[in-house]
Amino acid sequence: MPVKLLPQFRFFNSTFTLTRLPKMKCNSTLKPKIIPVFSRMFPHKLKYRSIGFPILPAQEQELRRFSTRSGSPGSVSVSKSLIEDEAELSDWVSGLRSDSFKKTQVYSDSDDNEGDRGSGRGKFGNRRNGGEERGEKRRRDDDDFSGSGRRSGGPSMESNSRGGGRFGSEFVGGRGGGRGQMLSNSRGGGRFGNDRGSRNEGGGSGGQDRMESSSRGRRFGSEDRGSGGQDRMESSLRGGRFGSEGRGSGGRDRMESFPRKGGRFGSEMTSSSASRRGKGLVGSGYGRDMGAQVGSSRLGRKEGTSMGRGSSMLLDEDDTDNEDEDEEEENGYKGFRDLIDSEEESEESDEVADEKVLSLEKEDSPRASHPSSSGKSDSHLTETGFDQFPLSPLSLKGVKDAGYKTMTVVQEATLPVILKGNDVLAKAKTGTGKTVAFLLPSIEVVVKSPPNTLDQKRPPVLVLVICPTRELATQAAAEANTLLKYHPSIGVQVVIGGTRLALEQKRMQANPCQILVATPGRLRDHVENTAGFATRLMGVKVLVLDEADHLLDMGFRKEIERIISAIPKQRQTLLFSATVPPEVRQICHIALKRDHEFINTVEEGSEETNAQVQQMHLVSPLETHFSLLYAMLKEHIADDVNYKVLVFCTTAMVTRLVAELLGELNLNVREIHSRKPQSYRTRVSDEFRKSTGLILVSSDVSARGVDYPDVTLVVQIGVPADRQQYIHRLGRTGRKGKEGQGILLLAPWEEYFLSTIKDLPISKAPVPLVDPETKKKVERALSHIDMKSKETAYQAWLGYYNSNRSIGKDKYRLVELANEFSRTMGLDNPPAIPKLVLGKMGLKNVPGLRSK
Ligand SMILES: Nc1ncnc2c1ncn2[C@@H]1O[C@H](COP(=O)(O)OP(=O)(O)OP(=O)(O)O)[C@@H](O)[C@H]1O
């Protein structure tokens, strides 16, 4: 009997008439609108055109060729270097034990204890925490390697490697008295990295110091929260190297190490948790953090409305303190993947080769022939109404109330396939409505499911949506609530980190839901520690991975595998993202059935970014960057009174520095990054969503998925972690077919990155003139910035580029460049860096560095 091994292919070609998909029409309502431009920086003005995606007459319409289009240039980055760094890091960590790192904890709320602190619960153990956790956080975004204790306490040093690259370690001082912490996370695989693991910021009180090291991915490692004051040192790396240990004992000095590599969560953690239990140790990784997501910052557009009704968001403002920033942040840390996946490669590549792809493209479409510089815009909308598909009347009412008149291209392409029950991997450009595309058919599954008659208090979860960040989870839940407006009996809940687990447990009991939106860490926590939760998950009929490439990247991969092992094999799985790099295609079998469909709405031969977004790059010496940034912002503001600008920086601490600088220059600016408490992040995020006339300086916490309406300009300073990150950051503008602008500001030695995005419609920007007065103004503003900010930015900068494969491999050159960065901040001498940190970065004894 033949076995079907190959995924199905969908050919969209004019020679094939597909009747299955309704016709897509071009929304030809052109509303020319002059886009403000930088008169000097951006001489080419763009006009918005809603031209559409391929739109052909009904019968023709269909997709045409199948192309896997993923073959875009790979990421640049940082991968291997991460591995190397991790090796160094783990060796270093394994041999280190310092009584000077102590930690304490403080938590009073009993519920919390269980929850947040995670006292050892579950197998995953992870949760650690104790009071301080709260302060800790960090994950990726962080990216920062910065040091210094931010909040008061002792010295701190932070370093996270992201992308594979970075290394991270973080030493942040506690808030309370003199505690100091040192954490190290490498993000390696995926986004997690950073965040997850590590954050320390404040928290504890009393003097304790902690040192953690979590390589790879996110969450592993990091958290700490244990209780009791003690010194602890954790090391969790994935590759097994660490392995071992786990000692720690209750009291003070402890050293934990969890090998992760092979294991799925389960096991790994188990061992660790065992050891920590009762000892107050925290754990390594996994845990809580994951959960940690906090806040909701992005609640999105629909915010208010949404959370209401049957749904509840398990997150309290009160909890913000606790948040761990966790996990999720974004970025991609790639890197680890190579190491981990090597054994699977051959098998996977076969699968990819056979995959069936459905690609929406039209060979003769304007875009295909003039992909980029034509100035033509994509149309994310079709003329197909939602009522052309078999959706329940109440869902259609919800869609109508949401203001969605016709479907977007990705919605039109995926809905019929998903409604048929097929597994789908979908790729569609940023801001084109992927969230509705997976939520709407998922809701229909709930509508069609027989009512639960067994356990009213613990109804099965029918739809499980996993998002990489808390903000995204919150935003997706908000969208779900909007769509569910007329389905009073269907509930949505969000479980994200940064909240008290026990509180979430209670809320889940009080408000049973059929749709659960979660971040991986917290979800795993519930699987392990919430009574009856695992049983509820056995009801899952639809699993959605939003930002799938990120979730399947090494940082989250283990957690995803663990979660998948906790839900039925007989289910429908939907993977969505704006980027689907080849590596992800190779591993998507982890979640998808072999006969899944790859629906690619990005035209073959066209760029992966929105054509109506004008992309520019500017390569200029580092010393000019601050002045250039200021000049271009001023110009943009002058051009557009309704300006709304996102400035992405490489690390959290560099983000802070840039925000402080722009503030000194009297620009209306806010900052957002993982070192900020979630409550602050949520507030700022909401403010930015609703405002115009505002600049938001951000780390990669805002890179993916955040739906800020009407962003007029995205500036990226310094080389992004990889190609995908560039695309997702840029995707914060030009959403829903609107126009936007993006500029990438690089130093000459970062110019290599342009080769990885050379297929995108990015052109060279003329260098704006920076008059002497502007230069002086910037220098003056820099001189007003606190030394601490400069020190931490320097250290973070060094850590970020150290983990970059292209730049960080020549340590001597790297140090020269870092010192150049130091001079751009107005420092005559580069700040001294703790020896431990230098050792961790593999930079001991490199000339040009000052140690302390
Ligand atoms: N059919 C529709 N008509 C009009 N607007 C829509 C429609 N579907 C979704 N939207 C809106 O489009 C915006 C972008 O949607 P969404 O955030 O889901 O994009 P995305 O493709 O997931 O982007 P990203 O890749 O950045 O995550 C949202 O504000 C959403 O409410």
Side-chain angles (χ1 to χ4, degrees), residues 301-302 380-381 386 403-408 410-411 428-436 438 472 475 479 546-547 577-578 703-707 728 731-732 735-736:
R301 32 196 175 192
K302 321 201 160 198
H380 66 298
L381 289 174
F386 288 89
Y404 307 149
K405 297 188 175 69
T406 61
M407 308 182 91
T408 65
V410 65
Q411 290 160 5
K429 293 183 183 181
T430 52
T432 57
K434 291 185 286 294
T435 315
V436 170
F438 62 71
L472 277 178
Q475 188 171 283
E479 184 79 81
D546 190 14
E547 303 291 342
S577 185
R704 282 187 178 242
V706 191
D707 189 39
H728 284 276
R732 297 319 97 205
R735 300 179 72 76
K736 296 168 74 171

Side-chain angles (χ1 to χ4, degrees), residues 387-411:
D387 57 0
Q388 293 183 36
F389 291 96
L391 297 169
S392 64
L394 296 180
S395 292
L396 288 172
K397 271 183 90 176
V399 165
K400 193 173 171 206
D401 276 20
Y404 307 149
K405 297 188 175 69
T406 61
M407 308 182 91
T408 65
V409 172
V410 65
Q411 290 160 5

Side-chain angles (χ1 to χ4, degrees), residues 538-798:
M538 289 314 291
V540 169
K541 292 182 173 175
V542 180
L543 169 68
V544 178
L545 301 186
D546 190 14
E547 303 291 342
D549 58 324
H550 200 30
L551 288 173
L552 291 174
D553 201 339
M554 282 324 302
F556 284 113
R557 170 119 167 248
K558 290 281 177 190
E559 293 174 35
I560 297 299
E561 286 179 340
R562 172 68 185 89
I563 291 162
I564 287 174
S565 72
I567 60 177
K569 281 202 172 105
Q570 286 307 312
R571 63 170 193 273
Q572 184 177 19
T573 305
L574 313 175
L575 270 51
F576 277 73
S577 185
T579 51
V580 183
E583 316 87 84
V584 169
R585 294 277 310 286
Q586 292 182 344
I587 58 172
C588 64
H589 67 84
I590 291 171
L592 293 166
K593 294 191 193 92
R594 282 182 173 265
D595 63 349
H596 67 271
E597 293 192 20
F598 177 27
I599 300 180
N600 183 3
T601 67
V602 180
E603 292 178 63
E604 174 71 2
S606 80
E607 65 277 5
E608 291 176 285
T609 48
N610 287 305
Q612 75 278 12
V613 176
Q614 184 184 29
Q615 300 176 57
M616 307 282 281
H617 63 77
L618 183 56
V619 178
S620 177
L622 194 59
E623 66 190 32
T624 64
H625 282 198
F626 291 141
S627 297
L628 285 174
L629 174 65
Y630 179 53
M632 74 175 71
L633 289 173
K634 290 282 284 179
E635 203 159 340
H636 185 69
I637 291 167
D639 281 341
D640 188 349
V641 286
N642 293 317
Y643 72 91
K644 187 163 176 175
V645 181
L646 254 168
V647 177
F648 283 105
C649 300
T650 49
T651 79
M653 291 298 96
V654 173
T655 298
R656 180 172 75 175
L657 178 93
V658 171
E660 287 178 7
L661 171 64
L662 299 180
E664 284 291 336
L665 289 163
N666 294 321
L667 296 180
N668 192 20
V669 64
R670 303 286 183 277
E671 67 185 291
I672 188 165
H673 49 78
S674 61
R675 301 309 173 72
K676 286 287 187 188
Q678 186 60 39
S679 53
Y680 174 93
R681 279 169 62 173
T682 303
R683 200 166 54 244
V684 165
S685 179
D686 289 346
E687 181 186 7
F688 189 65
R689 182 170 288 107
K690 293 171 192 152
S691 305
T692 55
L694 193 56
I695 297 166
L696 181 62
V697 186
S698 180
S699 68
D700 278 332
V701 297
S702 310
R704 282 187 178 242
V706 191
D707 189 39
Y708 292 128
D710 305 319
V711 170
T712 53
L713 171 68
V714 168
V715 182
Q716 305 188 41
I717 311 181
V719 69
D722 55 28
R723 169 189 168 85
Q724 283 73 41
Q725 205 67 358
Y726 170 81
I727 291 172
H728 284 276
R729 285 164 155 195
L730 182 76
R732 297 319 97 205
T733 186
R735 300 179 72 76
K736 296 168 74 171
K738 294 186 176 167
E739 71 254 0
Q741 295 171 332
I743 183 158
L744 174 63
L745 182 54
L746 299 175
W749 36 271
E750 293 173 311
E751 196 171 357
Y752 71 89
F753 180 77
L754 296 178
S755 67
T756 71
I757 53 172
K758 62 176 185 288
D759 61 315
L760 301 180
I762 183 166
S763 56
K764 195 169 174 181
V767 181
L769 280 178
V770 177
D771 58 55
E773 186 45 43
T774 299
K775 199 163 171 265
K776 264 197 203 136
K777 208 169 163 189
V778 171
E779 282 166 7
R780 246 194 329 270
L782 280 165
S783 70
H784 295 152
I785 292 178
D786 190 59
M787 187 61 193
K788 201 67 174 170
S789 295
K790 293 177 181 173
E791 284 175 2
T792 55
Y794 169 75
Q795 195 164 293
W797 193 99
L798 186 61

